[in-house]
Amino acid sequence: MRADVRQDVSSRARGRRTGVVAAVALAVAAGLVAGGCSAGGAGTPDAAPSPASASSSSSSSGTAPSGAAPADLAGAPGGASSVTPLEPLPAAVPSELAPYYAQRLDWTPCDDGYECTTFRAPLDYDRPAAGDLTLAAVRAPAVPAGTGGTATPGTAAPGQRLGSLLLNPGGPGGSAIEYVEGVARTYDPGVRAHYDLVGLDPRGVGRSSPVTCLGGERMDAYTAVDITPDDPAEVDALVAAAKEFAEGCRQRSGDRLGHLSTVEAARDLDVLRALLGDERLHYVGKSYGTFLGATYAGLFPGRTGRMVLDGAMDPSLDSLTGNRTQAGGFETAWAAFARDCAKREDCPLGRTEQQAGERLAALFAAVDAHPLTTTDGDRRLSEAQATTGVIQAMYADFLWPRLRTALAAAAAGDGTGLLGLSDDYYGREADGSYPNLMFANMAVNCLDLPAPFAGPDDAARAVPDFERTSPRFGRDMAWMALTCTYWPVRPTGTPHTVRAAGAAPIVVVGTTRDPATPYAWARALAGQLESGRLLTLDGDGHTAYGRHDTCLDGAVNRFLLGGEPPENGTTCGR
């Protein structure tokens, strides 16, 4: 899946070429993942998986909403029936970890009115003596109700503090610190009145002992390399780019590369929960953040509080299946865009969905043969960047007008608009630098799941199956899944289900035409979780909560404030 399985679209960029989806938001591509979004699963290193099958007592019922992903996107092989559940950790904190749980947080003013802190976590939870990582967090303290907006009614008493609400935007690789600072003041006033909003940059991400791999010029080259190779030379170039990226990470990040899994990040969340003084973890995760949250619930079901998993990933999928089904999600989103475009006077793609697909394919082929000039210095738009630009716009329908303009310009020979969308996807700054997101995205995804391919011959054989799922993006995403093949650290995770037996109700949110985390994944995760409740938005775009659908936002806010989840199978947006 596309690595990012991307983060929430209100966040900045999403990682792209990593293991199984990922959020992005991108949800995952390495070996998926928005980018994203990697999504993969990660088994706990502390206990052997149980042979017991996962419960499906909370699976959604009734007919799928209009626009829902086809049933074949649900998964097998690699589906819930062929893997074992993630087992919880012992309830008692091991004595060797007690010092980490006994730290004191020193909150200091930072970043225009927020509060920041750092704390220590072991590099290796199995060997705490091996050294520590420094993790960073931000807090937006609860504010009194009535400071603006209309609070959603709930059962929390006026002035009652419910604790901390941890937020994660996805990736893997998305900065929760940047996310909280970007959205805290827009959160529902009722939720803001009762919770401190807290963002923890996961290990290896942002301000938390970040990993790094390549400089700006080499990242420019990496994002431009052809990911739909037409001959052996282009295959060799793609393999060389993947190897260069992996070697750069090994040289610049060292031992951290082996300890950036989602299981370890979930254990860090539990340390922070204790340091915040909360008995249970209250949490809203988007895209890959749903995989992180579900992993926490699986490891610590008795400490799981009010949890919302929006744009859900399915941890039971292997990386090959995840990448393929994510390609189908982008195909579904493209079809929605093409239908909408056909109604617009400024649509450069014609008046039918079929015509739109044909013209897009022709444009990609033309750019492959002759990269387009842009107004960004001597940079030219490659086919890979053109594809990334289109994919970026699939994450949210508010980007569709910008995509129409960019496609029209590209047809006239100007690649600036599509290059700008591609740069947004990767988070490229105006000075040519790149954030840590892509590096962390790859590092997490390649640990969480085994690579789907042993080499380029495997990728080539998979292309026809991918193209059947997604004529537009299948070939692209099949070759992207090659990346983790060359990763310098062996994976520590495998596909698994998450039961979280005994956890409080967990609300799983799915959008029917979500490109990066297909709706079938939300249905699958809600069915795996013993206390899962499926909440659906019949609509377009990646993730749903906070997009101003009164029905869905109200259901989530009432749950966060009162603890009562929506009825399983509730659908909004119709």
Side-chain angles (χ1 to χ4, degrees), residues 36-66:
C37 102
S38 147
T44 172
D46 303 276
S50 163
S53 62
S55 168
S56 59
S57 60
S58 299
S59 61
S60 59
S61 59
T63 304
S66 62

Side-chain angles (χ1 to χ4, degrees), residues 130-521:
D132 294 343
L133 295 174
T134 299
L135 307 184
V138 71
R139 177 172 67 180
V143 296
T147 57
T150 302
T152 299
T155 58
Q160 177 188 4
R161 183 180 177 278
L162 296 175
S164 301
L165 181 64
L166 272 71
L167 309 181
N168 184 280
S175 169
I177 291 177
E178 289 185 5
Y179 181 68
V180 167
E181 292 177 352
V183 306
R185 294 185 175 100
T186 70
Y187 245 65
D188 176 83
V191 175
R192 290 284 287 112
H194 296 283
Y195 289 99
D196 298 333
L197 301 186
V198 177
L200 168 65
D201 277 357
R203 53 175 57 207
V205 174
R207 304 181 193 179
S208 291
S209 302
V211 295
T212 187
C213 300
L214 296 177
E217 289 187 4
R218 297 314 304 156
M219 274 300 293
D220 278 348
Y222 178 78
T223 65
V225 71
D226 195 332
I227 50 177
T228 55
D230 301 312
D231 55 46
E234 290 185 348
V235 171
D236 290 346
L238 178 58
V239 169
K243 288 181 176 179
E244 180 188 9
F245 190 103
E247 177 60 17
C249 294
R250 186 191 68 80
Q251 291 182 1
R252 298 185 182 204
S253 301
D255 291 344
R256 280 171 293 174
L257 282 187
H259 296 283
L260 301 177
S261 71
T262 299
V263 162
E264 291 163 306
R267 299 187 72 169
D268 296 338
L269 284 177
D270 195 58
V271 173
L272 179 57
R273 172 205 57 77
L275 302 185
L276 290 169
D278 292 336
E279 292 185 4
R280 296 193 175 206
L281 180 80
H282 304 306
Y283 178 89
V284 174
K286 298 203 167 196
S287 197
Y288 163 81
T290 68
F291 180 56
L292 177 59
T295 301
Y296 180 91
L299 296 176
F300 305 103
R303 299 174 195 163
T304 299
R306 299 173 188 178
M307 180 170 284
V308 178
L309 306 178
D310 179 14
M313 292 172 52
D314 179 0
S316 74
L317 299 182
D318 60 71
S319 56
L320 179 61
T321 306
N323 273 297
R324 180 180 59 80
T325 57
Q326 192 182 49
F330 281 101
E331 191 72 23
T332 297
W334 164 260
F337 166 76
R339 289 192 297 269
D340 179 81
C341 185
K343 304 173 186 176
R344 311 284 179 173
E345 291 186 2
D346 64 342
C347 181
L349 298 175
R351 290 291 171 255
T352 68
E353 184 180 334
Q354 179 177 351
Q355 193 173 49
E358 292 171 350
R359 291 189 179 183
L360 183 70
L363 175 64
F364 285 164
V367 176
D368 187 25
H370 301 287
L372 300 183
T373 59
T374 72
T375 59
D376 188 355
D378 59 357
R379 298 180 71 204
R380 301 176 74 87
L381 177 76
S382 71
E383 181 193 14
Q385 290 162 329
T387 304
T388 301
V390 173
I391 285 174
Q392 162 73 358
M394 295 300 98
Y395 281 94
D397 55 8
F398 66 76
L399 292 174
W400 292 359
R402 182 177 169 191
L403 177 59
R404 293 196 301 271
T405 300
L407 289 171
D414 180 3
T416 305
L418 285 176
L419 183 62
L421 284 165
S422 176
D423 286 348
D424 287 350
Y425 186 96
Y426 287 104
R428 186 183 189 273
E429 302 288 356
D431 63 2
S433 64
Y434 287 78
N436 154 257
L437 177 135
M438 226 0 249
F439 312 137
N441 182 284
M442 188 79 71
V444 174
N445 284 320
C446 293
L447 272 184
D448 277 352
L449 284 179
F453 303 134
D457 289 346
D458 287 349
R461 282 190 290 268
V463 166
D465 192 31
F466 273 69
E467 289 186 322
R468 280 189 290 272
T469 300
S470 175
R472 236 64 51 193
F473 309 110
R475 188 179 181 204
D476 171 282
M477 294 190 73
W479 282 104
M480 281 197 302
L482 187 64
T483 308
C484 284
T485 299
Y486 307 103
W487 201 243
V489 179
R490 293 176 62 86
T492 57
T494 58
H496 58 265
T497 57
V498 179
R499 287 187 63 191
I506 298 173
V507 175
V508 179
V509 182
T511 302
T512 56
R513 294 179 294 281
D514 188 316
T517 51
Y519 179 64
W521 293 356

